[in-house]
Each structure stands twice: as structure tokens, then as C-alpha cells.
Amino acid sequence: MRVSGRRLAELIGRFSRVRALVVGDLMLDRFVWGQVERISPEAPVPVVHVTGEDERPGGAGNVVSNVTALGGRAAACGMVGDDAAGKRLASALRALGAGTEGVVVSRHARTTEKTQQVVRLDREAPPLLDGMGTRRVRDFVLRGCARFDVVVVSDYAKGVVGPELLAALAEAHARAPFIWVVDPKRANFAHYRRASLMKPNRAEAAEAAGIDIRDRASLCAAGRRLLERWEAEAVLISRGEEGMALFTRGGGVQEFPTVAREVYDVTGAGDTVLATCALALGAGGTLEEATVLANHAAGVVVGKIGTATLRADELRATLRGRRPTARAVGLRAADAARELKRGARRKPRGRLSGARAAREQRTGPRMS
């Protein structure tokens, strides 16, 4: 299907009017930047000479960062602990310009923190068991369905998104349809229903469908099965270097080859795809137009180091075939980091050379 470049530019121009409610597992991501030049003599571990640290909203918070960086108006809904990390996370979300009225503070939960450089350190409790807190999240989401242009469910399997919330969303959608998009996780494969768009990656799609995706035939079989199993209007399977495949009811499959020129880091690219699809659909775009924009957005962020976002002007530039200005984090996300540091000086980071990127490395894909 041929998608008009002018039409895509019009949709990007409407992002600033889209109100997105992002519900899911909010986390605080901490990044330690430095150089590894030797192994410790005391133990077989790298010695990291730290050159900088920062904190950013992670998990569903990274989806919020992506929505705001692209110009959309986001509200966050989830749960944090009654702790210092939760306060810093809420502060960072507000610094992005996001609404935090839907962020529930629970005395029975611990804010999930992810710290990584050469290794990753996770500070988290088992999946949330705060029934009252999750009900408050559910009630806020149900009240907000009519006030927002799109609802985004960012499931990181930490307990905020569960069968009760998903069933309530499906029932609300059946009564009065609204746009909602979902990034799924294994724990809830059996509970997703009636979403406007489901966005699994290839591994998640294969597991959810029970089909080993090896070629186009198995891909098509998996996509069709997920459409029926999840009763979804569409399923978008991200396939890494092979691009994306969009399945729609009665429309078969459309394949979108990747547009990435250089791949430095795939961290958070799925969140960028989710946010871009949500904004495009909320702006009145078709599923095909949303996929094209998301594909281009992903092609930009994988060329950046770190959990990156992109701005609307960067997305416009890549649509015109120009190489956008590389920035590790969108401007508003940088503001959030500065808010957390309270004026502390930070070393600026652009795209690193190959050798330096190998030294100043962060490991692991999407923090989950």
C-alpha cells in the first residue's frame, strides 16, 4: 500500500493535539556511564571508571517519554512505592510535562529500579499484590477512556496490568469503542481481548500463537491466529532487521521492511513503536499509516545509544530521506534527567564512535 508523504507529515503535525493515557508498569531506570579498561585483580569483573550517571522514567514511563518527545500530551497511570525512588520517578514524569494524577502511591509496593552499565542491578519486589492499588488504577483508566484520544497499555509483567484491568478495558470498549493499543507480555497472553492494535515482537508472537515463526508462511499463520485469539482489530509483529508485519481483519498481511541505516542499540525501540502508533492512530491515521511512521521512528532510535526517544522534526526528516540530528535523548527527557539531578552538571553525550561505544557500553535490550 502506498502511503502519502504529505499525509504522514499532516499526521505528525497533529501529534501535539493527541491526548494519550499510558497505563502500565512504571519504573525508574538508572544508567551509569563510564569506560572499561581493565579487569579487577580482586575478582573477575570489569573496573568501570564512571564518567556520568542519570535517571529516567523506565517501563511504561519510557512510553510516556516517547509520547512527549514526539509532541503528544501524555498522562501516566500506574503504581509506585511510597519511597524515594517513587518520588523521583513522579518528579521525572512531571518534568516531561506528563500528568501524574493516575500514579497511585502504594505503601505495599516497592518502586522498580533498574541500574545498569556492564551488569544490570534490579531492585524490585515480586509482582504487585496490592488489590486496592490496582483497583484504583483500573478505575482511573475507565474514567479516562472517554477523555483521551488513545489508551496505551505498556505491560512489563510487574503486576499493574492484569486480568481484571484487561477485562474491564475490553468490556468498556464493547460498550463505547475507543482506541487502545497494547504491548503484550507472556503472563497476560490469555487475557488480552478486543484491542485496536496488539504489538508483540517476533518471539512474543511465536509464543502466544504456539507457532515457531521461521518463514513467511509461519509468520502469516501466527498473525492470523493472534487476530482470532485476541479478538484484535490488528496485530503488528516487529521483526527486528526484517521490519514489521501488520495483520488486519479481512486485510491479510502487509510487510514493512526496516528503514534503519545504522543499529547502535535496540534498547526501548519497542516503546518508541508503541508510542508512535498510538499518536498516529489518535491523530486519525490508519493502521497502515501508523505502521509506516512507527517503522521510521524505530529506524531512528536504534541509531542512538541508550533508551532513546525522537522528536517530531526528526521523524519528519527521516520521512524526507534526510539523516536526522542524532541525540541520545529527546529534549524533554533531558529536562527530566536534569530535574532529577537538581542542577548537577552532566557530561553531554552524542552518538559515540564504534570504539568508544564498545567501552562506554550498556548491556541488555528493553529493561523489563
Side-chain angles (χ1 to χ4, degrees):
M1 175 184 176
R2 178 73 176 175
V3 177
S4 163
R6 177 177 297 181
R7 166 67 174 168
L8 295 176
E10 290 175 355
L11 288 173
I12 296 172
R14 296 179 194 167
F15 282 3
S16 61
R17 300 199 295 269
V18 177
R19 297 161 300 174
L21 174 59
V22 180
V23 55
D25 300 295
L26 299 169
M27 308 179 197
L28 185 66
D29 286 352
R30 298 186 65 251
F31 298 101
V32 180
W33 302 86
Q35 297 181 358
V36 179
E37 297 177 346
R38 63 189 179 94
I39 300 298
S40 170
E42 290 84 11
V45 295
V47 176
V48 181
H49 177 68
V50 176
T51 58
E53 299 182 55
D54 63 31
E55 294 179 320
R56 308 171 194 165
N62 188 45
V63 179
V64 173
S65 296
N66 276 271
V67 169
T68 58
L70 284 164
R73 292 183 282 170
C77 181
M79 198 179 309
V80 298
D82 188 10
D83 48 33
K87 292 179 176 65
R88 297 201 305 274
L89 176 52
S91 178
L93 291 168
R94 287 191 292 270
L96 291 169
T100 56
E101 296 84 357
V103 177
V104 175
V105 179
S106 172
R107 291 177 297 175
H108 306 289
R110 174 176 181 169
T111 304
T112 298
E113 297 177 78
K114 308 287 184 179
T115 303
Q116 67 177 8
Q117 205 285 333
V118 177
V119 297
R120 197 176 93 183
L121 305 175
D122 289 3
R123 296 177 176 87
E124 60 184 350
L128 293 173
L129 298 176
D130 184 353
M132 181 177 294
T134 54
R135 285 192 295 274
R136 288 172 61 189
V137 168
R138 179 202 62 193
D139 292 345
F140 184 88
V141 173
L142 293 180
R143 289 195 304 270
C145 289
R147 295 190 292 111
F148 290 89
D149 300 300
V150 59
V151 176
V152 187
V153 177
S154 177
D155 190 353
Y156 273 80
K158 304 302 180 185
V160 167
V161 180
E164 186 178 1
L165 173 62
L166 293 170
L169 279 167
E171 292 167 8
H173 182 267
R175 291 193 302 269
F178 56 91
I179 300 171
W180 64 303
V181 298
V182 180
D183 195 345
K185 275 291 176 288
R186 176 196 302 176
N188 285 316
F189 281 166
H191 306 297
Y192 300 114
R193 292 289 185 278
R194 303 175 192 152
S196 306
L197 177 67
M198 297 290 300
K199 193 214 70 63
N201 60 32
R202 177 166 43 197
E204 291 163 343
E207 184 173 357
I211 296 174
D212 184 17
I213 299 178
R214 305 176 309 279
D215 49 26
R216 192 174 190 277
S218 54
L219 171 69
C220 291
R224 286 193 295 268
R225 180 171 293 180
L226 292 178
L227 276 175
E228 297 304 318
R229 179 165 294 175
W230 286 335
E231 301 174 28
E233 296 175 29
V235 173
L236 177 63
I237 301 177
S238 55
R239 306 163 62 204
E241 69 279 1
E242 296 178 11
M244 302 179 183
L246 176 65
F247 296 84
T248 56
R249 289 191 171 276
V253 58
Q254 298 179 65
E255 296 184 69
F256 300 79
T258 184
V259 296
R261 297 180 182 180
E262 299 171 299
V263 177
Y264 278 77
D265 194 339
V266 299
T267 306
D271 292 334
T272 300
V273 169
L274 185 67
T276 308
C277 283
L279 288 173
L281 294 174
T286 66
L287 288 161
E288 293 80 5
E289 291 164 343
T291 302
V292 171
L293 286 173
N295 198 23
H296 279 272
V300 174
V301 297
V302 297
K304 300 182 180 185
I305 297 292
T307 306
T309 59
L310 80 162
R311 306 178 309 276
D313 63 302
E314 292 180 278
L315 186 52
R316 289 191 190 95
T318 192
L319 288 171
R320 292 193 294 265
R322 298 210 307 264
R323 186 183 298 270
T325 302
R327 295 193 183 184
V329 188
L331 294 178
R332 296 189 186 180
D335 291 340
R338 282 193 291 271
E339 173 75 12
L340 288 164
K341 298 294 287 184
R342 293 293 185 185
R345 296 179 64 184
R346 293 169 54 207
K347 183 176 179 180
R349 295 186 303 276
R351 187 170 62 191
L352 305 182
S353 67
R356 186 178 170 198
R359 293 194 302 270
E360 298 195 10
Q361 60 178 314
R362 298 186 6 263
T363 60
R366 183 174 183 249
M367 284 190 177
S368 62

